[in-house]
Amino acid sequence: MAEGENEMRWDGLCSRDSSTREIALENIRQIILRKTEYFRSVKETPHRPSHELSNAVSSDGLNKLLAHLLMLSKRCPFKDVREKSEFILKSVQELGIRIPRPLGHGPSRFIPEKEILQVGSEDAQMHALFADSFAALGRLDNITLVMVFHPQYLESFLKTQHYLLQMDGPLPLHYRHYIGIMAAARHQCSYLVNLHVNDFLHVGGDPKWLNGLENAPQKLRNLGELNKVLAHRPWLITKEHIEGLLKAEEHSWSLAELVHAVVLLTHYHSLASFTFGCGISPEIHCDGGHTFRPPSVSNYCICDITNGNHNVDEMQVNSAGNVSVSDSFFEVEALMEKMKQLQECRDEEEASQEEMASRFEIEKRESMFVFSSDDEEVTPARDISRHFEDTSYGYKDFSRHGMHVPTFRVQDYCWEDHGYSLVNRLYPDVGQLIDEKFHIAYNLTYNTMATHKDVDTSMLRRAIWNYIHCMFGIRYDDYDYGEINQLLDRSFKVYIKTIVCAPEKVTKRMYDSFWRQFKHSEKVHVNLLLIEARMQAELLYALRAITRYMT
């Protein structure tokens, strides 16, 4: 009777072969019903020695299995698994055991559940994508279900993440997930930390490492400084940081290992930005994603608990795309008019190089004063902060307190000509995958803005991307930074800077306050631009430092 959550064999449910899934489901059903019967008998036997109860199935262990089944009943792309999981839950309930129900309103706290694609209603192409994701991870997570607004990007993202975490590479599998935990913890992203704690244990990671960074090998602890600076002030990274990691005697990193680690760190820093920026809810089977308490409203039938109808009478969050604010209607028209005027100015005259450089410096200075009025420190919880050191270290503008950081000129070191080839040389194929992801995010367009069609959005997308790089001190000589103030209003800039620099401080109010007439899919698109621009900026600083060390 000792099988726990991690000893239960869920792997067979990931198979594309229905007969394999059927055998796995039957095994799971028998194990869970056996545990349930045993648990009932233990509870019902008076004066049973307490040590026998602790050696038997604990209620916590059974609850974890039931929560996993609940997740499968809602999130598995295979219909047979969803239906059988729901059937097993009802069977357990009929035996008098309380079963879990989902908390919240779907994958995002910011986007109404009815606007997000429901598992089971996807088309054939999307089903294949969902099946791939489920086969790789054993789950269809909430990030995937929000990114699915943009299938072309999602496919590239999943392919890249799968390669980083599971395919051949310089680092062992458990190191990869632990680095993911370290990176997500820097932004206090409990959502990603929880996912990768489970993945770390699943691939054989030592549970003692999870007690705190001080319990991990020295080699991983040495990565803490790079993780810290990369997450919050990447412009401070020097070749000395790189040298310290590559020449640490028996704890040294190889160049290939370090590039793999850097890509993982930047991937999870930016993914933490997406998680907070889109208000991603806890996974159904994780803490905060389900409850064993019965619904507070008395008029539910038993079947509601597993069929999801418990949300029907609960208050739905208003769609940000339907805000009835009188001036929001004119935001889109005003923005489109500005784009038209800027294009006409471009066609008529071109600013000098001196003027362009001056406008960059002005925008860089102004970006320092963009932060929300309710900006306050967020104290990390102990279960998150134990995965990183120096908890007080966070984002600080690079020109504050008299510090001057030289401008990073893309003409001197750029992703296309320098970073891409370095990554591909030391960690084959990853450069190609990341490059594809950058290009898809940057070029993605449906030629729409809110209700308007046939709109060229390239000017707006470039302004967003270059504003983020400007905040990191990165300049494009051929871009007129005067366009940024024309196209991005203050509420939007506050949202962008918070997502990119301190994502743990993002609120629903910030999400709702920008582009009020735009659809949620367009706001998710903005988040994709933000996370890819951020990842590229971090990579540029880290890879330039590696290049300087090598030369």
Side-chain angles (χ1 to χ4, degrees):
M1 302 306 303
E3 299 110 333
E5 157 72 5
N6 291 319
E7 284 136 345
M8 176 76 84
R9 298 297 308 199
W10 305 100
D11 305 16
L13 304 184
C14 300
S15 173
R16 294 179 187 278
D17 175 50
S18 60
S19 59
T20 302
R21 295 197 300 270
E22 188 178 355
I23 293 168
L25 281 164
E26 181 54 28
N27 286 338
I28 289 167
R29 187 187 74 83
Q30 290 180 14
I31 290 170
I32 286 184
L33 291 182
R34 203 160 62 237
K35 287 176 181 289
T36 303
E37 291 281 10
Y38 192 73
F39 184 59
R40 277 180 67 210
S41 70
V42 168
K43 275 175 50 177
E44 291 168 4
T45 305
H47 314 302
R48 186 144 191 165
S50 59
H51 72 273
E52 284 193 37
L53 180 58
S54 63
N55 290 335
V57 108
S58 71
S59 92
D60 185 52
L62 180 59
N63 285 349
K64 283 183 178 177
L65 296 176
L66 296 177
H68 199 110
L69 269 183
L70 178 67
M71 178 273 287
L72 292 171
S73 75
K74 303 292 182 188
R75 296 284 189 262
C76 183
F78 303 118
K79 187 180 179 184
D80 57 333
V81 175
R82 291 197 305 273
E83 291 178 347
K84 190 65 178 274
S85 297
E86 188 173 325
F87 173 77
I88 297 170
L89 283 171
K90 286 180 179 175
S91 302
V92 169
Q93 188 180 39
E94 286 164 4
L95 290 170
I97 301 294
R98 184 172 286 177
I99 64 171
R101 61 187 179 90
L103 276 176
H105 297 278
S108 165
R109 291 177 291 107
F110 296 173
I111 306 170
E113 188 171 11
K114 63 177 185 278
E115 296 201 26
I116 293 175
L117 181 66
Q118 301 297 303
V119 178
S121 61
E122 70 273 11
D123 60 24
Q125 182 184 0
M126 197 59 62
H127 178 76
L129 202 54
F130 281 176
D132 285 345
S133 179
F134 191 81
L137 298 169
R139 60 176 181 266
L140 197 56
D141 59 40
N142 290 337
I143 285 176
T144 298
L145 292 173
V146 172
M147 280 186 181
V148 85
F149 277 118
H150 305 286
Q152 185 189 4
Y153 175 86
L154 175 61
E155 186 171 7
S156 176
F157 171 85
L158 290 174
K159 206 190 320 177
T160 305
Q161 183 167 262
H162 178 64
Y163 196 93
L164 287 174
L165 292 176
Q166 293 171 292
M167 301 296 282
D168 286 346
L171 294 174
L173 297 184
H174 63 303
Y175 265 49
R176 304 180 198 193
H177 290 293
Y178 197 81
I179 291 169
I181 293 168
M182 289 173 66
R186 276 268 36 133
H187 282 308
Q188 303 162 41
C189 187
S190 56
Y191 172 87
L192 289 173
V193 169
N194 288 338
L195 285 186
H196 286 281
V197 162
N198 290 335
D199 292 340
F200 172 78
L201 294 171
H202 184 70
V203 297
D206 186 344
K208 287 199 288 292
W209 297 10
L210 300 175
N211 293 331
L213 189 59
E214 66 277 7
N215 296 291
Q218 186 64 45
K219 183 172 177 174
L220 281 168
R221 288 161 60 190
N222 289 348
L223 202 60
E225 181 72 13
L226 184 66
N227 179 28
K228 176 178 82 172
V229 180
L230 203 52
H232 304 297
R233 305 173 204 174
W235 49 87
L236 297 181
I237 291 173
T238 65
K239 67 177 184 180
E240 282 72 31
H241 286 107
I242 306 305
E243 187 173 23
L245 289 163
L246 298 174
K247 294 187 172 179
E249 297 175 350
E250 71 267 28
H251 307 299
S252 293
W253 292 75
S254 71
L255 267 172
E257 287 174 332
L258 185 57
V259 166
H260 193 169
V262 162
V263 172
L264 283 166
L265 290 172
T266 59
H267 176 81
Y268 282 104
H269 293 156
S270 61
L271 199 53
S273 286
F274 185 86
T275 300
F276 286 114
C278 290
I280 299 296
S281 303
E283 293 299 321
I284 288 174
H285 62 300
C286 292
D287 289 345
H290 62 273
T291 180
F292 283 84
R293 292 177 183 167
S296 55
V297 183
S298 59
N299 59 348
Y300 288 100
C301 75
I302 287 176
C303 59
D304 282 342
I305 296 175
T306 50
N307 69 15
N309 289 341
H310 58 281
N311 282 337
V312 171
D313 294 324
E314 295 178 25
M315 185 179 71
Q316 289 286 351
V317 179
N318 287 333
S319 162
N322 296 321
V323 173
S324 57
V325 180
S326 57
D327 61 348
S328 69
F329 176 78
F330 299 104
E331 283 181 337
V332 186
E333 280 69 17
L335 186 52
M336 290 176 66
E337 183 59 31
K338 283 177 185 172
M339 287 163 62
K340 182 182 172 187
Q341 289 171 1
L342 286 170
Q343 188 58 55
E344 287 169 356
C345 290
R346 269 188 194 173
D347 295 341
E348 287 173 14
E349 61 176 318
E350 192 173 309
S352 66
Q353 278 299 310
E354 291 76 14
E355 180 62 22
M356 301 265 261
S358 171
R359 289 174 185 175
F360 169 78
E361 292 300 329
I362 290 169
E363 190 56 53
K364 190 171 79 168
R365 277 199 305 276
E366 284 188 0
S367 76
M368 291 193 300
F369 302 103
V370 173
F371 250 134
S372 61
S373 56
D374 55 355
D375 179 24
E376 57 185 54
E377 291 303 315
V378 179
T379 306
R382 166 62 189 151
D383 61 332
I384 300 299
S385 64
R386 65 187 174 197
H387 298 300
F388 64 96
E389 297 167 328
D390 197 357
T391 55
S392 63
Y393 191 94
Y395 174 81
K396 287 283 187 295
D397 289 306
F398 41 72
S399 295
R400 289 267 169 95
H401 311 301
M403 180 191 293
H404 176 71
V405 176
T407 294
F408 186 126
R409 295 175 72 251
V410 169
Q411 278 65 22
D412 298 333
Y413 194 96
C414 68
W415 166 256
E416 290 80 6
D417 297 337
H418 306 95
Y420 168 83
S421 57
L422 177 62
V423 171
N424 243 21
R425 188 164 83 245
L426 293 169
Y427 186 10
D429 298 330
V430 163
Q432 178 74 38
L433 290 166
I434 295 171
D435 188 61
E436 178 187 279
K437 189 159 60 76
F438 286 157
H439 277 284
I440 289 173
Y442 187 87
N443 296 311
L444 186 65
T445 183
Y446 306 96
N447 299 113
T448 61
M449 281 178 63
T451 57
H452 298 268
K453 296 180 180 177
D454 302 316
V455 184
D456 181 357
T457 62
S458 56
M459 181 183 288
L460 185 55
R461 284 181 277 120
R462 190 177 185 193
I464 294 168
W465 187 279
N466 287 3
Y467 179 58
I468 293 158
H469 280 199
C470 178
M471 289 190 300
F472 283 88
I474 297 171
R475 181 189 165 212
Y476 295 81
D477 286 353
D478 62 348
Y479 183 69
D480 181 356
Y481 286 84
E483 293 185 4
I484 288 173
N485 270 339
Q486 296 288 315
L487 297 175
L488 313 182
D489 64 24
R490 180 170 174 80
S491 64
F492 192 18
K493 282 184 170 182
V494 166
Y495 179 77
I496 292 173
K497 186 168 184 180
T498 310
I499 293 290
V500 172
C501 302
E504 60 276 10
K505 296 178 182 176
V506 173
T507 63
K508 186 176 187 301
R509 185 175 57 77
M510 287 182 198
Y511 175 89
D512 288 340
S513 68
F514 83 90
W515 284 8
R516 289 167 292 177
Q517 280 293 109
F518 284 74
K519 300 169 189 165
H520 289 291
S521 61
E522 291 171 309
K523 292 194 171 194
V524 172
H525 184 184
V526 165
N527 273 280
L528 300 182
L529 275 170
L530 303 190
I531 67 171
E532 294 302 337
R534 175 189 178 167
M535 181 174 179
Q536 190 177 96
E538 284 190 29
L539 276 175
L540 283 173
Y541 278 110
L543 296 173
R544 185 180 68 167
I546 291 173
T547 300
R548 285 177 171 174
Y549 167 80
M550 291 169 68
T551 54

